[in-house]
Structures are given as C-alpha cells and as structure tokens.
Amino acid sequence: MAGIELKNIKKSFGDKNQVEVIKNIDLDIKDGEFVVFVGPSGCGKSTLLRLIAGLETPTAGQVFIGGKDVTNHSPLERGIAMVFQSYALYPHMNVYDNMAFALKLASRPKEEIDVAVRAAAKTLNIDHLLNRKPKELSGGQRQRVAIGRAIVRKPEVFLFDEPLSNLDAALRVKMRYEFARLGETLGKTIIYVTHDQIEAMTLADKIVVLNNGYISQYGAPLELYKRPENIFVAGFIGSPKMNSIKAKVINTNAKEAQILINNHSEITIKINSDLRIGDDVTVGIRPEHLFISENKGLLDAKLQFVEELGHAKYAYFETADDKDSEVKITLQLAPEFNAKIGKNHSLSFDLSHIHVFNKDGKNVTLF
Amino acid sequence: MNKSPFNTALAGYLFVAPAMIAIVVFFFGPALAAFILSFTDFDIYALADINNLRFVGLKNYSELLANPLFWTALKNTLFFVFVGGPLSMAASLSAAILLTENSVKLKAFIRTIFFAPVVTTLVATAVVFKYLLHTKYGFINFGLSKLGINPIDWLGDPHWAMPAIIVFAVWKNFGYNMVIFIAAIGSIPNDLYEAAKIDGASPWQRFLNVTLPALGPSILLVSIMTMTGYFQLFAEPYVMTQGGPAEQTVTVLYMMYEQGFKWWNLGSASAVAFVLFAMMLVMTLIQGQIAKLQGVK
C-alpha cells in the first residue's frame, strides 16, 4: 500500500528562498492511482515530482508515502523509482548493468538480479538489447530501458518526469499506449509529469492541473474537461482550447443570471455563486459546442481560416467584444460543411454546455 | 571564375601554408637536424669547424646505454613520472571534485588560489620552495619540529631530494589539470547523479559509477599530458638541487642539458633526446591502448 499525501508543501529556491515555486500544496493520491501532473512550463510540476522523489527537500510541509512521513528520507528509503526525461542511463554500462545497478547496490544475490532483469526486459521487449550500450539504442529503446530500470526494483511508487517529450510524434503515440498498458499491469501508484494534455487525458485516472505553484484543479480527466473549476483549467484542458468571450451581467438572482454577450445577445444561465448586476464575466464555450446558425445567432463573426485535420475541421473566426477588442473564436465544423473565408457568419451555441467565469476566473455555472 | 579542384586545393594549401611553414622551420626541421646529429660526434670542435664533424653511426646510443649515469637518470625520471604523475592527477581530481561540490563556499577564490602556482614563474617558486625546505630555517622543518620530528635535509639527503621535488612539482602543476577536470565534471548531466541517488548509490558509489567513468576521456588526456610533461623534468632539479645529492635528482633531460650545453657533446645530447622521445612515445601508445581496452574514446 503506497498512497501519497502532501500536506502544506512549499518549496522556494534562491539564497533567501525568494523564488517560491510551490505554494502550499495539499494532495491526496490513493494507492494504485495513475495521476498526471500537468501544467504550463514553470508551473512547478517537475519540482513537485522531485519533492515526492526526495531529490528536493520542501521548504515547509510534509510528504507521506504509504502513510509514513518521508519528508526527510532519502530517495532510496522512500521506495520509489523514477524515469527521467533524459532517461539518465549510465552511458558506460550496457542495458543489463543499467537495469541491474540498483539491485547490485542493494547487494541482492546474482541469481535474483538476473531473474528480475530478464523478466523486466521481456515485459518491455528489450531482452535482445541487454548487451548494448545506451548510445547504441534508439530513443524508444532507451525509454524502455529507463522504464525497465525502474521496474526491476519493484517499487511501490513510479515517478515519470516527462518521459515521452524526447520522442518523435509517432513513437510518442505508441509509447503512450504502452504506458497505459504498463499502468494497468503494474497496479502501482504512478505519478506522471507532462505538459501534453493529450497524454494527461489519455493516461490518467486523475489529473492535477498546476498553475503558478498552485493546484488549479484535481480530478478525473473528463470531470476537468466538462466541469473546469476555473478559467485556467478551462483554457488548458482541451484542444483547440475553450473559447472565452467577455460578457456582462445585466440581471441576476440567487439561482440565475442574465448575461449580455458582445452587446448583442442575452443568455440566461444557472449559477452556483453570487453575481451582481454590472459584473464583468467570461463566457466559455468549447469549439464542438458552437455551430453556424442559419438564422440570427448569438454572435456575428468573420471566418478567417479553416483547418482541415481529416477527422475534424476547425474554423477560426474573429469578432469584437463590447469593448471593441478583437476576439478569436474556434468552432468545430461538420466535415461536409463548406465555409467561405472572409464571410460573416452568425454563430450559436448549445447553452447547456456554456461556462460562466466570474471576474476572479472561478466557474460559477451550476451544472 | 574558374573553380577547378586544383584551384580549390591551392587555396586550401595557401591558407595552411603560414602555419605549416612555421611548424616545419621551427619544429620538424630542428627535430630532423637533431635526429641526424644524434648519429654524429657534433661537439664544440665541430661548432668551430664543420669539417671536424664525423658520422659515428649508433655510437652515441651505445655509449649512452653503457653510461651508468643514464640509468640513474632514467630511474630518477621514471620515479618522478610514476610517483609524481599519479599524485599530481589525484590532487587535480580531488581539488576539482571539491570545487564542484554545491556545499563548498568561496569556490572562485579557492580555484584562483589553486591555479595561481601554474601561472607563477617556475624559477621564482622553486627558490621559495628552497627556502621553505631549508634544513635550518625552513618553515617545513619548523612545523615538523613542533610535532617533535627532527629536521630533515630535504634537498641534501639522497632519500628526500626527489620526493621534495615531486611535492614541489605537484603543487606547481595540479591546478592546470584541475581546470580540465572541473570542466569535465561540469559537463556530466545532473540527471545521472539523481538516477544513481534513486538507485541507492552513496556519494562514493556515485563517484565510482558516474563521475569516474564520465571522466575517462579527460583522465586519458590529463595522464598523457602529465606523463609527457613529467618525463621532461628539468627546471626543478636545475634550480633546486643541480642534480644532486649523489645524482639522485639527475633526470634524463637534465643529463641531456649537461651533455649538450655543459660539455658541448651535442651529438650525444641529441641521442639522449631521441631515447627520451622514444620512451614517451611508447608510454603514450600504452596509455592509449589501456584506455581503448577500458572503452574510453
């Protein structure tokens, strides 16, 4: 059993701790969960992983693994294994020795090491590469060796730091699938850091979205997609990202609010938090929930560009908000729809999929 | 414009010509002349009248090998190379590791202090060391006397003269290789150390399994440079001991100097130089071979 619990974790860098990278994080990861840390560059996701690994010491707070306070324990004592973005294979050792290294250091019997290494190599289809040096391997093979090195130790927790970011697109898709399979086979707690939201959405049982040293939201992938708690998560999860349109509250009561979009259309939505008349809000709507209306829609916008992806077609529109600032809107078109670039279209959206964010960026929509 | 292969090649040759001419005139030419000299009895008489020059075949080499002083000089040189060389490298590596540790403060200052002897004039530092090692007034014997140890005649005792020169040479030279090692250690990815930490490696095991293998090419470079440099030991005994006591600090190069510029036997001196060159070449090839066997490139 090795769930992970972080309590009030803070981490600062610099001589006087002036650069605060992790700002008071609480997190509870259940045993056997596949959790992905996702966020933009510099959000603190790798630092958080390193704090769990024991490669960094928190400035404040505690780390628990399997219910035990390991805040001041070495990486070895934490029962974790980690796969690095660069793979960090020992260049002078062959694949076998790389995988066997930790067990050799632990003075395990030769036979036991041999069995563990060969079993892991077989699982990862690298048993024919055991005598090769890392420089004689392709990126994908190195990746497998790095995973193999983690597996042989039979840790309770696996930590992966952007393990696919050095691979080409095709190999990344293949390895993503293998990671998903590996997660199921191992049945251990896995923390996986990435900046790629597709990896996060496809692999995770739960996603931690980090922004600027805080957890923006923690939940299942679809929950984050369908019910983002704030405008950051709404914009970060989903590709193309959710459209944001500035709007104003024109009428409200405890349960509903009437909102004016673009000085143009009024919509009414159910809310879970107070809004006041005159409040600036942001209306969020995903590209797949927008459509071109034959009649008068909620917005008028000019088609600028169409992106053909084969399986999908995205149209990029431009309009102006109530302050005459430029607003870009993305819409998923039906594959057979022939749009004319430069033409004005009337756009409508499915009100049941709308999100309204208050001026602090919090989602106030009642789902 | 005509760009025939000949013209392209000519342009290339013209570009390298100044450097090549300098190398031929100031290195290959004199080296070849010295090699030819080693088969002659070129001496002070030949300097006065070239007609006194005679071709003597391998006589200089056979006389050299029959000269007991050559074997003493060779023994002293090898002692210096095989004791001083590794000692110097160990000091360089230790200093480099110390100066790449995160916990060490004032790194730039310590690095400057360690490197300073390299850029200080050898003769000046040798004179300072002569005083430090002085039997009666030297600071080292003063320190030893505080520990209850009798004064040692560092440069006058046949047993201590060469070790004293080794200590001086190590102090003088280790800073140079230290800089090479610092650069090499700095290029080792930090991920490797972290991976080793997670694998459970202690600091010593991390040094053995990450630092040392990664330093292989630098160690080869430094060992060849140190060895070739140490084979040419001359200035230290020349300034500090003049080859004494009891010829215990006469080195092969010192012997060459005496043959050539004290006794004006330039033919014999050339033979000494080429014997030294042959030894250094063989040693370098052996080192290269050892490195190859260990997979260092």
Side-chain angles (χ1 to χ4, degrees), chain B residues 241-263:
Chain B
T241 56
Q242 291 79 47
E247 294 169 345
Q248 284 310 297
T249 57
V250 172
T251 62
V252 176
L253 204 67
Y254 188 88
M255 185 183 170
M256 184 198 82
Y257 166 80
E258 289 212 318
Q259 283 291 326
F261 302 106
K262 198 167 175 185
W263 314 120

Side-chain angles (χ1 to χ4, degrees), chain A residues 88-360:
Chain A
L89 300 178
Y90 308 116
H92 60 288
M93 294 183 196
N94 63 20
V95 170
Y96 185 98
D97 291 334
N98 260 286
M99 289 169 71
F101 186 59
L103 300 182
K104 280 183 186 167
L105 290 178
S107 308
R108 298 276 181 80
K110 262 190 177 176
E111 299 74 37
E112 186 193 322
I113 296 174
D114 194 58
V115 169
V117 170
R118 289 186 192 283
K122 205 170 174 201
T123 311
L124 295 160
N125 288 326
I126 48 169
D127 37 357
H128 59 295
L129 303 172
L130 288 174
N131 291 321
R132 294 223 197 140
K133 292 268 177 74
K135 64 175 180 227
E136 296 161 347
L137 304 174
S138 68
Q141 288 168 335
R142 283 180 205 182
Q143 174 65 263
R144 284 160 201 266
V145 176
I147 297 168
R149 190 169 67 178
I151 289 176
V152 290
R153 295 180 49 207
K154 298 194 176 78
E156 288 301 313
V157 177
F158 285 90
L159 307 174
F160 295 103
D161 189 6
E162 307 212 23
L164 303 186
S165 55
N166 283 356
L167 303 179
D168 63 55
L171 198 54
R172 213 153 49 212
V173 174
K174 187 167 174 267
M175 289 303 289
R176 204 165 66 209
Y177 161 73
E178 292 198 18
F179 263 103
R181 205 170 53 103
L182 193 71
E184 280 172 23
T185 318
L186 295 171
K188 303 283 183 189
T189 310
I190 295 177
I191 302 181
Y192 185 108
V193 166
T194 181
H195 59 265
D196 182 340
Q197 50 154 311
I198 298 175
E199 278 174 36
M201 293 293 284
T202 51
L203 289 171
D205 293 328
K206 281 188 178 166
I207 295 177
V208 176
V209 182
L210 286 153
N211 182 30
N212 199 22
Y214 290 107
I215 293 180
S216 271
Q217 194 172 348
Y218 177 39
L222 280 181
E223 189 187 325
L224 265 61
Y225 187 80
K226 289 182 176 167
R227 291 172 190 169
E229 284 175 4
N230 50 60
I231 199 160
F232 176 79
V233 175
F236 193 80
I237 300 287
S239 177
K241 62 189 281 190
M242 183 186 276
N243 295 297
S244 303
I245 304 158
K246 296 269 183 263
K248 206 171 260 310
V249 178
I250 50 171
N251 204 356
T252 181
N253 61 37
K255 290 180 180 172
E256 283 183 340
Q258 254 185 318
I259 290 167
L260 180 69
I261 303 174
N262 262 26
N263 282 334
H264 184 290
S265 316
E266 285 175 28
I267 56 166
T268 305
I269 56 143
K270 288 183 176 163
I271 52 170
N272 62 12
S273 175
D274 278 349
L275 284 175
R276 279 183 291 185
I277 294 169
D279 274 1
D280 287 323
V281 290
T282 304
V283 170
I285 182 84
R286 295 214 179 267
E288 63 268 31
H289 300 134
L290 270 162
F291 53 89
I292 295 176
S293 172
E294 294 291 325
N295 309 316
K296 182 75 181 155
L298 292 166
L299 272 175
D300 284 329
K302 193 176 178 184
L303 180 59
Q304 297 288 342
F305 176 64
V306 174
E307 200 175 52
E308 278 279 11
L309 299 176
H311 67 286
K313 198 179 206 177
Y314 292 103
Y316 293 86
F317 289 90
E318 248 179 49
T319 184
D321 64 12
D322 52 354
K323 293 186 178 72
D324 273 344
S325 304
E326 189 181 88
V327 176
K328 291 191 188 306
I329 292 182
T330 312
L331 179 152
Q332 188 173 353
L333 288 173
E336 66 281 357
F337 190 91
N338 278 324
K340 278 190 186 158
I341 292 169
K343 196 184 156 196
N344 272 318
H345 290 271
S346 196
L347 310 180
S348 277
F349 35 83
D350 185 345
L351 288 178
S352 63
H353 288 105
I354 211 163
H355 301 266
V356 174
F357 302 95
N358 67 14
K359 59 180 187 302
D360 300 326

Side-chain angles (χ1 to χ4, degrees), chain B:
Chain B
M1 198 176 145
N2 186 359
K3 281 198 173 179
S4 69
F6 174 76
N7 277 353
T8 315
L10 183 67
Y13 287 126
L14 284 174
F15 272 114
V16 297
M20 290 307 291
I21 290 168
I23 291 170
V24 168
V25 170
F26 295 109
F27 179 72
F28 285 111
L32 182 67
F35 188 60
I36 295 167
L37 276 189
S38 72
F39 299 105
T40 69
D41 67 348
F42 195 97
D43 55 13
I44 201 161
Y45 302 108
L47 273 176
D49 181 357
I50 197 69
N51 291 324
N52 289 328
L53 183 70
R54 280 167 304 180
F55 182 74
V56 294
L58 293 170
K59 187 170 164 243
N60 286 332
Y61 289 94
S62 60
E63 276 183 0
L64 179 68
L65 297 180
N67 184 350
L69 183 63
F70 170 73
W71 294 105
T72 306
L74 184 62
K75 187 197 81 188
N76 295 339
T77 306
L78 291 177
F79 181 77
F80 183 76
V81 169
F82 288 108
V83 176
L87 215 59
S88 167
M89 283 177 63
S92 305
L93 190 55
S94 310
I97 289 165
L98 179 83
L99 290 173
T100 45
E101 266 301 311
N102 287 335
S103 53
V104 175
K105 305 281 176 212
L106 300 169
K107 279 180 191 165
F109 176 73
I110 300 172
R111 197 166 55 223
T112 310
I113 296 286
F114 284 176
F115 191 73
V118 178
V119 287
T120 314
T121 317
L122 190 139
V123 175
T125 49
V127 170
V128 171
F129 254 73
K130 253 179 103 166
Y131 284 110
L132 283 175
L133 294 166
H134 195 277
T135 319
K136 272 190 184 170
Y137 313 111
F139 184 76
I140 292 170
N141 275 347
F142 171 75
L144 291 177
S145 71
K146 295 286 168 198
L147 297 171
I149 298 170
N150 288 331
I152 295 169
D153 186 3
W154 293 103
L155 298 174
D157 184 327
H159 292 109
W160 285 111
M162 189 51 102
I165 284 180
I166 286 175
V167 170
F168 169 65
V170 168
W171 170 83
K172 177 84 179 68
N173 301 321
F174 85 97
Y176 187 80
N177 293 335
M178 175 193 78
V179 173
I180 295 174
F181 283 136
I182 286 176
I185 291 171
S187 69
I188 302 173
N190 203 33
D191 278 359
L192 288 180
Y193 288 105
E194 294 188 336
K197 250 187 211 175
I198 285 176
D199 279 339
S202 64
W204 175 244
Q205 285 166 328
R206 290 201 287 275
F207 172 72
L208 283 184
N209 292 292
V210 178
T211 312
L212 216 48
L215 289 182
S218 309
I219 291 174
L220 175 65
L221 171 80
V222 164
S223 69
I224 289 175
M225 286 196 331
T226 306
M227 186 208 65
T228 47
Y230 275 29
F231 259 116
Q232 298 174 63
L233 176 67
F234 167 71
E236 290 87 342
Y238 180 74
V239 176
M240 294 169 81
T241 56
Q242 291 79 47
E247 294 169 345
Q248 284 310 297
T249 57
V250 172
T251 62
V252 176
L253 204 67
Y254 188 88
M255 185 183 170
M256 184 198 82
Y257 166 80
E258 289 212 318
Q259 283 291 326
F261 302 106
K262 198 167 175 185
W263 314 120
W264 295 99
N265 293 326
L266 290 163
S268 305
S270 298
V272 178
F274 276 90
V275 169
L276 185 64
F277 166 73
M279 283 191 302
M280 282 158 58
L281 183 67
V282 169
M283 288 303 296
T284 307
L285 292 175
I286 291 172
Q287 276 174 312
Q289 210 58 36
I290 292 170
K292 209 172 166 185
L293 287 175
Q294 292 181 341
V296 176
K297 283 191 177 170

